[in-house]
């Protein structure tokens, strides 16, 4: 049964400093497709979501640049093994830095199937899905909108991958999936489109 929209989970506030430098994270970044059987901590998840689309200054401006500050992106979390969080689908709200429950139950296996049977996706404790409402950008930029949205998706995904490295985690950006199946699994709004999946977890090998 779909949880009430008001079911929310507060997230720990994001840190402003960490042990790993940006330079170190760039050197260590790689695509990780094999994850250890270990859960994510809620504060790690909080930091990952902040990196992707967190608000970092007054006016609602975010960690990833957005053409015209129109913010078309929506970030979903497919949680399977996150400490203190029931398995399910959640939407990230950047302005409140919290999660709102969208659908109950572990949907990682269905997501792996939708991603053309990339079974390794189901072994990640969490998968972040970056989606967008292209119409938000079209209102100002017309036929350039999709180009700008894709640029923004890339910024958010790379922020997320570098933050994963800084936390000692691994991630990979996945673009091969059947859109309609992902939309159904995440109970996405009709105007939203999924652009990439980012499975995250502790690498099986260092």
């Amino acid at each position: 049964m779909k949880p009430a929209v008001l079911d929310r989970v507060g997230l720990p506030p994001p840190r402003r400093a960490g042990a790993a430098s940006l330079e170190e994270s760039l050197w260590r970044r790689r695509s990780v497709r094999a994850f250890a059987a270990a859960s994510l901590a809620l504060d790690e998840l909080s930091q990952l979501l902040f990196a992707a689309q967190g608000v970092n200054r007054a006016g609602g401006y975010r960690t990833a640049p957005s053409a015209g500050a129109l913010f078309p992106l929506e970030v979903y979390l497919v949680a399977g093994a996150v400490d203190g969080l029931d398995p399910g689908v959640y939407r990230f709200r950047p302005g409140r830095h919290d999660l709102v429950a969208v659908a109950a139950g572990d949907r990682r296996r269905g997501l792996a199937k939708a991603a053309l049977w990339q079974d390794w996706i189901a072994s990640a404790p969490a998968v972040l899905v970056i989606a967008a409402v292209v119409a938000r950008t079209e209102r100002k930029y017309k036929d350039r909108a999709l180009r700008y949205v894709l640029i923004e998706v890339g910024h958010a995904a790379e922020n997320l991958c570098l933050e994963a490295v800084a936390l000692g985690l691994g991630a990979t950006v996945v673009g091969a999936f059947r859109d309609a199946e992902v939309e159904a699994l995440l109970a996405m709004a009709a105007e939203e489109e999924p652009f990439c999946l980012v499975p995250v977890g502790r690498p099986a090998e260092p």
Side-chain angles (χ1 to χ4, degrees), residues 176-202:
F177 52 84
R178 290 182 283 267
D179 292 17
E181 291 184 29
V182 173
E183 290 163 7
L185 278 167
L186 274 59
M188 294 172 62
E191 68 272 17
E192 295 176 343
E193 300 177 55
F195 281 91
C196 68
L197 318 178
V198 187
V200 184
R202 305 189 193 288

Side-chain angles (χ1 to χ4, degrees), residues 60-91:
Y61 294 103
R62 310 222 178 138
T63 51
S66 179
L70 296 171
F71 307 119
L73 301 194
E74 297 288 345
V75 179
Y76 284 84
L77 165 69
V78 179
V82 179
D83 296 338
L85 195 62
D86 290 336
V89 178
Y90 300 83
R91 179 196 293 272

Side-chain angles (χ1 to χ4, degrees), residues 4-164:
V5 72
L6 294 180
D7 289 350
R8 62 172 296 277
V9 178
L11 294 169
R15 298 193 310 271
R16 295 191 175 214
S21 68
L22 174 59
E23 291 80 8
E24 182 182 357
S25 296
L26 287 166
W27 275 105
R28 290 168 49 207
R29 195 221 64 79
R30 62 188 176 89
S31 296
V32 174
R33 295 182 179 85
F35 301 101
S39 61
L40 287 182
L42 198 58
D43 64 336
E44 292 173 326
L45 179 65
S46 170
Q47 207 69 34
L48 292 167
L49 290 165
F50 174 77
Q53 275 292 282
V55 173
N56 65 356
R57 60 198 186 280
Y61 294 103
R62 310 222 178 138
T63 51
S66 179
L70 296 171
F71 307 119
L73 301 194
E74 297 288 345
V75 179
Y76 284 84
L77 165 69
V78 179
V82 179
D83 296 338
L85 195 62
D86 290 336
V89 178
Y90 300 83
R91 179 196 293 272
F92 177 55
R93 296 194 296 185
R96 301 187 183 193
H97 195 70
D98 68 1
L99 296 169
V100 174
V102 173
D106 190 344
R107 310 243 169 154
R108 291 176 296 169
R109 178 60 57 189
L111 203 57
K113 176 179 176 291
L116 311 181
W117 293 105
Q118 296 184 71
D119 290 341
W120 61 272
I121 292 172
S123 70
V127 183
L128 277 70
V129 180
I130 302 177
V133 180
V134 178
R136 292 178 191 163
T137 303
E138 281 178 338
R139 286 193 289 269
K140 181 173 183 179
Y141 293 111
K142 307 298 190 254
D143 59 354
R144 302 288 288 184
L146 181 58
R147 180 190 303 252
Y148 294 159
V149 169
L150 291 171
I151 291 170
E152 190 169 339
V153 169
H155 279 299
E158 185 66 357
N159 280 3
L160 171 55
C161 289
L162 289 174
E163 183 62 49

